[in-house]
Amino acid sequence: MIDLRPYQREAIDSLYSYWTEQSGRNPLIVLPTGTGKSVVLAEFVREALKWQGTRIVVLTHVKELIEQDYAETMGIWPECPAGIYSAGLNRREVDAQVLFAGIQSIHKRAGELQWADLIVIDEAHLVPSSSNTMYRRFLGEMIKINPKLKIVGLTATHYRMDSGMLHTGENALFDDICYEAPLLDMVENGYLSPLTSKAMETKLDVSGVGKRGGEYIPSQLQSAVDIAEITSGAVDEIVKMGQDRKGWIVFCSGVDHSLHVRDEIRSRGYSCETIVGSTPAEERAQILADYKAQKIRCLASMNVLTTGFNAPHVDLIGMMRPTESSGLYVQMVGRGTRLSPNKKNCLVLDFAGNVERHGPVDAVNPQDKGGASEGGGDAPTKACPECQEIVLIAVRECPQCGYAYPEPEVKIKASASLDAIMSNQIKPVVHRVTRVDYRMHEKPLKPPSLRVDYFDGYVAVASEWICFEHTGYAHSKAVKWWRARMPGEQVPLTINEALLLKKDLPTPTTITTRKDGKYTRVLSCDFSDTPRQHGEQLVVDFGL
């Protein structure tokens, strides 16, 4: 038994409520990096095994996470009947009642497992939407064995670049989010390290780099970014800003790029090693052990360390990897949010324009593609300046006349970015409110919501969407919204019920908002001077 933090207890209880209310079978729990997903998983496993005969499989993708989740569970409950199935760990304990397994090792072994009541997937954002994958084939076989199987997803990022939200669309594995702990709340309540950012002089311009599947083409990206004078300039700034910081991670745009970043950092007298996908397992383990022991100041990484890597002392993140993926952006920055003794904050140095591209890390708004496997629209093209042949934007040589296009131009901009890494670093704005309009808002394949528009005179200053008919986290937010306005009154079950009661809803005197990228978030409403608060009946007809 362990003393859980309040939000960890709420996360576990939300699972029971979700299943009791028959909201769905496969919920998601969204917890930011560093808030203890392994602890939540371990305590949930312990409680779930109170029901005699329950069998649980915990799935993930790398052996480090398998070891971490197994160790956390055994630490909380040493008597747990747990085992591991992982080729990388040389353990295949298929008969264990609680089995911690790597998907690469177990995906063809459903027949050997035979039965599971619960499958918990750590880093659930790595489960593809396509049915023809290791994860989906294995889960499909396990559902055939037990049609009542429940699947729980744990993740810090509940979306994928290729398919949008994990719980929407025809191919969605998960039904809804049953609990979400907002990153900003976790920081402000002292559970995570604050993030801070500085304006950098070196800023990559990759406007000429082609995209495939919505992300920058790796080979073109590395060609654009891996330029000696740019790398040198960025490393100068990292060294200047990081002299008094203990643990640096620099996310790079290619293997060669990571080697060049490493060499530049070493040339300035600081220890640095590279970690890439092809780094041998024993070498990687030694590098990571030395880094966690603070024998190495910096890691230059390419395509690793973005999930499942736990080094609390990380207090400087250098982003030299431009990305269109909001999930990758959040995962990179998340390496610095864990608490550590004498760590005041984590400094994020964004050379890649990711903060400007995605907004504050606690307020990203990933596009919901409804579970589509690929983005729509035509591929971007350009005309050859010699023969006017129309070719794809990424083509470097015209197939008609042989014209060689210049390499994508990369600029070092003198103007520094002032984008905030956390939304609480953006100054809130207080608006007077003279009226509030309410109406039903409908989207395809989703329950309707209540759209709330706040006006100052004839000017709309902000909007909210209140989701009474949704489940999970969205519904709990709607309940909280209603009770703040109508304490003691029954919460509407539908949008039509809410609209019938709109005349009784008080109008706030002011609202406080903050800009989150292209959206405006309502932070609070002040009802202190409304007629309702002075005992008068508020009657407002919004014409609906």
Side-chain angles (χ1 to χ4, degrees):
M1 184 77 176
I2 188 173
D3 290 331
L4 298 176
R5 294 172 176 176
Y7 67 86
Q8 293 171 334
R9 182 69 263 167
E10 290 171 5
I12 295 172
D13 290 343
S14 73
L15 287 172
Y16 306 141
S17 299
Y18 188 82
W19 289 321
T20 300
E21 295 167 2
Q22 297 183 333
S23 302
R25 184 177 295 172
N26 304 336
L28 281 164
I29 291 178
V30 182
L31 294 173
T33 300
T35 52
K37 290 195 297 294
S38 294
V39 174
V40 170
L41 188 157
E43 178 60 16
F44 171 63
V45 165
R46 189 189 70 83
E47 293 179 11
L49 260 64
K50 291 178 181 177
W51 287 274
Q52 190 173 7
T54 299
R55 192 175 193 210
I56 300 175
V57 176
V58 180
L59 281 181
T60 191
H61 63 297
V62 292
K63 66 178 184 180
E64 290 84 2
L65 263 180
I66 298 169
E67 286 182 303
Q68 179 180 310
D69 290 340
Y70 174 82
E72 195 76 56
T73 300
M74 299 306 293
I76 289 175
W77 185 24
E79 298 81 21
C80 179
I84 290 175
Y85 197 105
S86 167
L89 297 174
N90 198 28
R91 293 177 65 175
R92 294 176 174 82
E93 297 149 3
V94 72
D95 294 325
Q97 187 176 355
V98 179
L99 186 62
F100 293 82
I103 187 60
Q104 294 92 340
S105 300
I106 203 74
H107 71 102
K108 293 182 178 180
R109 301 288 183 259
E112 295 178 36
L113 284 176
Q114 275 301 303
W115 184 272
D117 299 283
L118 287 165
I119 291 181
V120 183
I121 303 176
D122 198 1
E123 306 290 358
H125 59 280
L126 294 175
V127 179
S129 59
S130 171
S131 59
N132 190 28
T133 61
M134 287 190 294
Y135 262 117
R136 299 301 288 257
R137 287 195 299 269
F138 173 74
L139 294 172
E141 289 298 316
M142 294 302 293
I143 291 170
K144 287 179 182 178
I145 295 169
N146 176 16
K148 295 183 178 180
L149 175 70
K150 291 180 172 65
I151 302 170
V152 178
L154 296 174
T155 183
T157 50
H158 51 288
Y159 38 82
R160 285 176 59 90
M161 186 171 181
D162 61 348
S163 55
M165 300 297 185
L166 300 184
H167 58 291
T168 63
E170 286 185 18
N171 296 323
L173 172 63
F174 299 100
D175 301 316
D176 206 343
I177 298 170
C178 72
Y179 186 80
E180 181 175 2
L183 174 60
L184 184 59
D185 290 355
M186 297 294 98
V187 172
E188 292 183 340
N189 286 308
Y191 296 122
L192 290 179
S193 169
L195 298 170
T196 185
S197 58
K198 297 290 186 182
M200 311 313 298
E201 293 184 8
T202 306
K203 186 176 179 183
L204 303 172
D205 181 357
V206 291
S207 55
V209 175
K211 298 176 186 176
R212 182 184 298 123
E215 180 62 298
Y216 295 112
I217 297 172
S219 58
Q220 291 188 28
L221 181 62
Q222 175 160 265
S223 295
V225 170
D226 191 18
I227 297 174
E229 58 268 29
I230 295 176
T231 301
S232 178
V235 169
D236 280 341
E237 294 191 74
I238 291 171
V239 169
K240 179 181 178 181
M241 298 287 189
Q243 291 181 15
D244 297 326
R245 292 184 176 265
K246 297 179 180 179
W248 313 347
I249 297 179
V250 182
F251 291 102
C252 305
S253 295
V255 173
D256 289 344
H257 186 218
S258 67
L259 294 172
H260 296 152
V261 169
R262 177 201 66 185
D263 293 344
E264 287 286 343
I265 290 174
R266 286 178 174 178
S267 72
R268 288 157 176 79
Y270 293 89
S271 54
C272 183
E273 297 292 344
T274 57
I275 295 285
V276 298
S278 59
T279 304
E282 291 185 6
E283 180 183 347
R284 178 188 298 202
Q286 187 60 55
I287 290 172
L288 294 181
D290 288 345
Y291 180 75
K292 292 178 181 181
Q294 300 184 38
K295 297 177 182 178
I296 299 171
R297 177 72 69 97
C298 180
L299 296 178
S301 169
M302 168 58 191
N303 272 354
V304 292
L305 306 185
T306 54
T307 60
F309 175 62
N310 184 350
H313 77 289
V314 173
D315 55 1
L316 185 149
I317 302 288
M319 287 193 290
M320 296 182 69
R321 164 76 185 274
T323 180
E324 290 287 337
S325 168
S326 52
L328 178 57
Y329 162 58
V330 171
Q331 293 285 356
M332 285 192 289
V333 174
R335 298 312 103 193
T337 56
R338 285 184 167 86
L339 297 174
S340 183
N342 301 316
K343 175 179 171 180
K344 294 182 179 179
N345 56 45
C346 178
L347 175 63
V348 178
L349 306 181
D350 182 20
F351 305 97
N354 290 329
V355 179
E356 181 180 357
R357 193 173 290 117
H358 299 288
V361 71
D362 62 302
V364 296
N365 289 286
Q367 183 179 359
D368 187 357
K369 301 181 181 181
S373 60
E374 295 181 3
D378 296 329
T381 60
K382 60 188 175 185
C384 173
E386 294 293 334
C387 68
Q388 303 306 308
E389 177 81 4
I390 302 299
V391 298
L392 293 175
I393 194 75
V395 169
R396 303 260 56 86
E397 181 177 311
C398 176
Q400 186 68 23
C401 69
Y403 172 79
Y405 287 90
E407 288 298 317
E409 182 179 3
V410 182
K411 304 173 184 177
I412 301 178
K413 295 184 178 179
S415 58
S417 170
L418 299 177
D419 298 292
I421 189 68
M422 295 288 290
S423 62
N424 62 353
Q425 297 161 7
I426 302 172
K427 186 177 180 180
V429 178
V430 178
H431 302 274
R432 186 183 68 148
V433 177
T434 57
R435 83 175 199 272
V436 184
D437 283 0
Y438 303 91
R439 57 190 171 92
M440 184 177 291
H441 178 73
E442 295 181 287
K443 290 182 70 175
L445 304 177
K446 287 188 175 183
S449 60
L450 179 68
R451 175 166 175 158
V452 183
D453 296 313
Y454 298 92
F455 288 82
D456 180 359
Y458 294 102
V459 179
V461 294
S463 300
E464 291 184 291
W465 286 262
I466 312 303
C467 304
F468 295 108
E469 297 186 35
H470 288 59
T471 57
Y473 181 65
H475 178 73
S476 66
K477 286 176 64 178
V479 170
K480 183 178 179 181
W481 183 92
W482 183 265
R483 288 176 176 165
R485 288 155 177 76
M486 302 286 282
E489 300 292 332
Q490 185 173 346
V491 178
L493 298 178
T494 67
I495 305 306
N496 284 328
E497 286 183 21
L499 289 172
L500 289 174
L501 298 169
K502 65 187 179 184
K503 294 181 180 180
D504 296 327
L505 290 168
T507 298
T509 309
T510 62
I511 60 172
T512 302
T513 68
R514 184 161 54 217
K515 197 73 174 175
D516 287 346
K518 61 182 179 180
Y519 298 95
T520 298
R521 178 184 297 186
V522 178
L523 301 178
S524 63
C525 297
D526 183 5
F527 296 97
S528 59
D529 294 326
T530 61
R532 185 181 180 86
Q533 295 294 324
H534 289 91
E536 300 177 23
Q537 178 65 39
L538 178 67
V539 180
V540 181
D541 186 358
F542 297 116
L544 291 174

